[in-house]
Structure formats: C-alpha cells, structure tokens
Amino acid sequence: MTVALRSPQLVGALIPVDNAPVDANLKDDFHKYVQGMRNIEQVQVKRQADADDILKKYEKALPIRQFLLTNLVRSSDGEHLRLRIPVKTLTLSLDKMGDFPFNDPDEVRYDGQTLIVRGTKSHYVADDVLPLIGRFFPMFKLIDIDSGHWVISERPEAFRQGAS
C-alpha cells in the first residue's frame, strides 16, 4: 500500500492481504513468534522439521508455522539453518511493524484497482476502517475469507479463488 501511494506508476494493481492503511497494534502472537525464532537460532537447527518442532511450542497451527519457517535459509557454511531476517532485527522492529506512514488520504491516493482481502477472524481490517480505505484506494473491492490474519497460509484455496 505504501509503494502504491508513494509511486503509483510502479503498481499496476494492488492486493493487500489483511492489512489496512492505519497504524495497527500487533497481536501478542508476534512476540511469541519472535521468541520461537530466537530459540531456533540459538539451537542452530539442521533441518526444517527440527525448527518446526521448536515452533510448535509457540504456535499450534501448522500453516502459520510453515509461513514463519519460510524465513529459514541455509547458513553460508551449509551446516545449519539460519533466519533470513535476523531475530534482533525483528525484535527491534516489532513496535513499528504495524505503523502506516500516511495519515491524510486528502494528500495521497492510489486510483488503481485494489482488492482488499480480509480475514474475518482477524482484527486488522475492521469495518470502521473501510471508509478510510476507500479514501486512500477509491477503486477498492473487499473480499472476506473465513480465516485469521494469516489468510494465505490458513486458507490458500479460498484465497486463490477469491483473488482470481
């Protein structure tokens, strides 16, 4: 959304997934995910299955764990898996991760096609922000999917059908 508002000529169409153009408080889940990733980093796991075993203590849902584990890459020495985005960086960024850099839709807007995909069990795109979304993104359409925040991981087929 930020790129579309800053440089609309670079964006042909936009599909924000369970995000709105507002500052949002991240759920506590994010802090526990970072703790799980910190443990993965400390153990220096060699297999993704070992990392998943560690994350099970922090998140029960397999699709969400799988999404979080996409951050794993092989270390330069090939001995273990490491996090693409260092845990320290994630930890320092958590407080600002839910911030949105624009707050006046009268100053900037994106007139291209925009499909807002919302997880109905998530709080990140509440009904009361829809008018604001319409001011920033006047061509927006809304699709609700019966999921939490991790829409693509939780309901990949519903997302694929809704976004096509």
Side-chain angles (χ1 to χ4, degrees), residues 74-135:
R74 184 79 35 208
S75 63
S76 58
D77 63 10
E79 291 295 315
H80 63 278
L81 296 171
R82 66 171 182 78
L83 295 165
R84 182 178 328 213
I85 301 171
V87 172
K88 183 177 182 178
T89 301
L90 288 171
T91 302
L92 294 173
S93 301
L94 273 181
D95 289 339
K96 300 214 183 260
M97 213 176 281
D99 292 353
F100 191 71
F102 298 102
N103 46 18
D104 186 353
D106 292 329
E107 291 180 5
V108 62
R109 73 181 199 187
Y110 174 73
D111 290 316
Q113 292 183 350
T114 302
L115 178 64
I116 305 287
V117 179
R118 170 170 71 170
T120 58
K121 296 176 185 170
S122 172
H123 74 281
Y124 291 108
V125 185
D127 287 342
D128 62 343
V129 300
L130 295 178
L132 181 65
I133 291 172
R135 291 181 64 208

Side-chain angles (χ1 to χ4, degrees), residues 116-155:
I116 305 287
V117 179
R118 170 170 71 170
T120 58
K121 296 176 185 170
S122 172
H123 74 281
Y124 291 108
V125 185
D127 287 342
D128 62 343
V129 300
L130 295 178
L132 181 65
I133 291 172
R135 291 181 64 208
F136 276 117
F137 305 97
M139 300 292 293
F140 94 96
K141 293 180 182 175
L142 178 69
I143 290 181
D144 286 334
I145 295 181
D146 183 27
S147 73
H149 175 64
W150 307 99
V151 178
I152 299 169
S153 296
E154 293 176 43
R155 302 287 311 280

